[in-house]
Amino acid sequence: MLRYGGRCVFTECDVEEVLEAAHVVPHTGYPLFERADNSLLLRSDIHALFDVFLVSIDPATGRLQLADRLRDKEFLDGLHDKPVVHRVARQPLDWHFKRFRRMTAP
């Protein structure tokens, strides 16, 4: 909560009850990935989409990317291609974005 000022990094929602810490590389117990720079603070519904690789951050641009099938969803309005201010290391972002691209490829 403190690392991201109590706000979802994608939506800026500040309702603590719906915010969750999200691992970029899933929780494995491996010390390399059990670090603050492998985490984001996300609204719970966005966290669920992030975990199944339907939402990701493009490490080259720092912009939020949504799967094509989500781009017209009202609850995600205005999020596609939005710049994301985060503190995630490059390696976890690369890992997540590669899986996002694989999951969303035609």
Side-chain angles (χ1 to χ4, degrees), residues 57-72:
I57 300 170
D58 183 334
T61 65
R63 293 179 174 275
L64 185 61
Q65 300 298 300
L66 305 178
D68 288 344
R69 67 187 178 114
L70 299 179
R71 292 185 189 173
D72 65 347

Side-chain angles (χ1 to χ4, degrees), residues 75-91:
F75 78 105
L76 298 171
D77 214 20
L79 293 182
H80 181 70
D81 211 33
K82 177 182 177 183
V84 179
V85 177
H86 64 82
R87 299 169 68 189
V88 178
R90 179 69 188 242
Q91 182 182 9

Side-chain angles (χ1 to χ4, degrees), residues 7-54:
R7 292 184 177 278
C8 171
V9 298
F10 297 162
T11 67
E12 300 177 23
C13 173
D14 65 354
V15 179
E16 185 175 335
E17 292 80 4
V18 299
L19 297 177
E20 300 174 342
H23 287 89
V24 179
V25 174
H27 176 64
T28 63
Y30 186 63
L32 177 64
F33 298 113
E34 297 307 310
R35 304 166 32 141
D37 63 358
N38 179 41
S39 66
L40 295 165
L41 187 61
L42 299 176
R43 197 174 72 197
S44 58
D45 57 337
I46 306 290
H47 183 184
L49 295 171
F50 188 82
D51 280 355
V52 295
F53 308 102
L54 293 176

